[in-house]
Coordinates of all heavy atoms in Angstrom, one line a residue:
I2 N 8.2 22.0 159.1 CA 8.6 23.1 159.9 C 7.4 23.9 160.3 O 6.5 24.3 159.5 CB 9.6 24.0 159.1 CG1 10.9 23.3 158.9 CG2 9.9 25.3 159.9 CD1 11.8 24.0 158.0
G7 N 7.5 30.8 167.4 CA 8.3 32.0 167.6 C 7.6 33.0 168.5 O 6.3 32.9 168.7
Q11 N 2.6 42.3 170.7 CA 1.7 43.2 169.9 C 2.3 44.6 169.8 O 1.9 45.3 168.9 CB 0.4 43.3 170.6 CG -0.3 41.9 170.8 CD -0.3 41.1 169.5 OE1 -0.5 41.6 168.4 NE2 0.0 39.8 169.6
G12 N 3.2 45.0 170.6 CA 3.8 46.3 170.5 C 2.9 47.5 170.8 O 1.7 47.2 171.2
H30 N 9.3 33.7 141.8 CA 9.7 32.3 141.5 C 11.1 32.1 141.9 O 11.4 31.0 142.4 CB 9.7 32.1 139.9 CG 8.3 32.1 139.4 ND1 7.8 32.8 138.3 CD2 7.2 31.3 139.8 CE1 6.6 32.5 138.1 NE2 6.2 31.6 138.9
V32 N 12.7 32.8 144.4 CA 12.8 32.7 145.9 C 12.1 31.4 146.3 O 12.7 30.6 147.1 CB 12.3 33.9 146.6 CG1 12.4 33.7 148.1 CG2 13.1 35.1 146.2
H60 N -3.5 38.8 152.9 CA -3.5 39.9 152.0 C -4.9 40.2 151.6 O -5.4 41.4 151.5 CB -2.7 39.6 150.7 CG -1.2 39.4 151.0 ND1 -0.4 38.7 150.1 CD2 -0.4 39.7 152.1 CE1 0.8 38.6 150.6 NE2 0.8 39.2 151.8
D61 N -5.7 39.1 151.3 CA -7.1 39.3 150.8 C -7.9 40.0 151.9 O -8.7 40.9 151.6 CB -7.7 38.0 150.4 CG -7.2 37.4 149.1 OD1 -6.5 38.1 148.4 OD2 -7.4 36.2 148.9
F75 N 12.9 41.4 144.0 CA 14.4 41.6 143.7 C 14.6 41.4 142.3 O 14.4 40.3 141.8 CB 15.2 40.7 144.6 CG 16.7 41.0 144.5 CD1 17.3 41.8 145.5 CD2 17.5 40.6 143.5 CE1 18.6 42.2 145.4 CE2 18.8 40.9 143.4 CZ 19.4 41.7 144.4
S79 N 19.4 45.4 133.2 CA 20.6 45.1 132.4 C 21.7 46.0 132.8 O 22.9 45.7 132.6 CB 20.3 45.3 130.9 OG 19.8 46.6 130.6
G83 N 20.6 49.5 141.1 CA 21.3 49.9 142.3 C 22.0 48.8 143.0 O 22.4 48.9 144.2
A97 N 23.9 35.5 139.1 CA 22.7 34.9 138.4 C 21.9 36.0 137.9 O 20.6 35.8 137.8 CB 22.0 34.1 139.4
G115 N -1.6 35.6 144.6 CA -2.8 36.3 144.3 C -2.6 37.8 144.1 O -3.4 38.6 144.7
V122 N 3.6 47.0 142.7 CA 4.7 46.2 142.6 C 6.0 47.1 142.5 O 6.1 47.9 141.6 CB 4.6 45.2 141.4 CG1 5.9 44.4 141.3 CG2 3.4 44.3 141.5
S129 N 16.8 45.1 151.6 CA 15.6 45.8 152.1 C 14.8 46.2 151.0 O 15.2 46.9 150.0 CB 16.1 47.0 153.0 OG 14.9 47.8 153.2
L136 N 9.9 54.4 147.5 CA 8.8 53.8 148.2 C 8.6 54.5 149.6 O 7.4 54.8 149.9 CB 9.0 52.3 148.3 CG 7.8 51.5 148.8 CD1 6.5 51.8 148.0 CD2 8.1 50.0 148.8
P137 N 9.6 54.7 150.4 CA 9.3 55.3 151.7 C 8.6 56.6 151.6 O 7.7 56.9 152.3 CB 10.7 55.4 152.3 CG 11.5 54.3 151.7 CD 11.0 54.3 150.3
D146 N 2.1 55.2 158.2 CA 3.1 55.2 159.2 C 3.4 53.8 159.8 O 4.3 53.6 160.6 CB 2.8 56.1 160.4 CG 1.5 55.8 161.1 OD1 1.0 54.7 161.0 OD2 1.0 56.7 161.8
T151 N 5.0 40.6 155.3 CA 5.0 39.2 155.0 C 6.1 38.9 154.0 O 6.6 39.8 153.3 CB 3.6 38.8 154.3 OG1 3.6 39.3 153.0 CG2 2.5 39.3 155.1
A166 N 12.8 49.7 158.0 CA 11.6 50.5 158.2 C 11.5 51.2 159.5 O 11.1 52.4 159.6 CB 10.4 49.6 158.0
T167 N 12.0 50.5 160.5 CA 12.0 51.0 161.9 C 13.0 52.2 161.9 O 12.7 53.3 162.5 CB 12.4 50.0 162.9 OG1 11.5 48.9 162.8 CG2 12.4 50.5 164.3
T187 N 16.4 29.1 162.4 CA 16.7 30.4 161.8 C 15.5 31.3 161.8 O 15.6 32.5 162.2 CB 17.1 30.2 160.3 OG1 18.3 29.4 160.3 CG2 17.4 31.5 159.7
H188 N 14.3 30.7 161.5 CA 13.1 31.5 161.5 C 12.8 32.0 162.9 O 12.5 33.2 163.1 CB 11.9 30.6 161.0 CG 10.6 31.1 161.2 ND1 10.0 32.0 160.3 CD2 9.6 30.8 162.1 CE1 8.8 32.3 160.6 NE2 8.5 31.6 161.7
T199 N 11.7 45.9 166.4 CA 10.7 46.6 165.7 C 9.5 46.9 166.6 O 9.7 46.7 167.8 CB 10.1 45.7 164.5 OG1 9.4 44.6 165.1 CG2 11.2 45.2 163.6
E206 N -4.0 36.9 162.5 CA -5.2 37.1 163.2 C -5.2 38.4 164.1 O -6.2 39.2 164.1 CB -5.5 35.9 164.1 CG -6.8 36.0 164.9 CD -7.1 34.8 165.7 OE1 -6.2 33.9 165.9 OE2 -8.2 34.6 166.2
S210 N -7.4 41.8 163.5 CA -8.2 42.3 164.6 C -8.0 43.8 164.9 O -8.9 44.5 165.1 CB -7.9 41.5 165.9 OG -8.7 42.0 167.0
P215 N -9.8 49.4 165.1 CA -8.6 50.2 165.4 C -8.6 50.9 166.7 O -7.6 51.3 167.3 CB -8.5 51.1 164.2 CG -9.9 51.2 163.7 CD -10.5 49.8 163.9

Side-chain angles (χ1 to χ4, degrees):
I2 296 172
Q11 303 312 319
H30 290 130
V32 178
H60 298 161
D61 288 346
F75 188 95
S79 57
V122 178
S129 166
L136 189 54
D146 60 18
T151 74
T167 301
T187 299
H188 173 78
T199 69
E206 181 180 10
S210 177

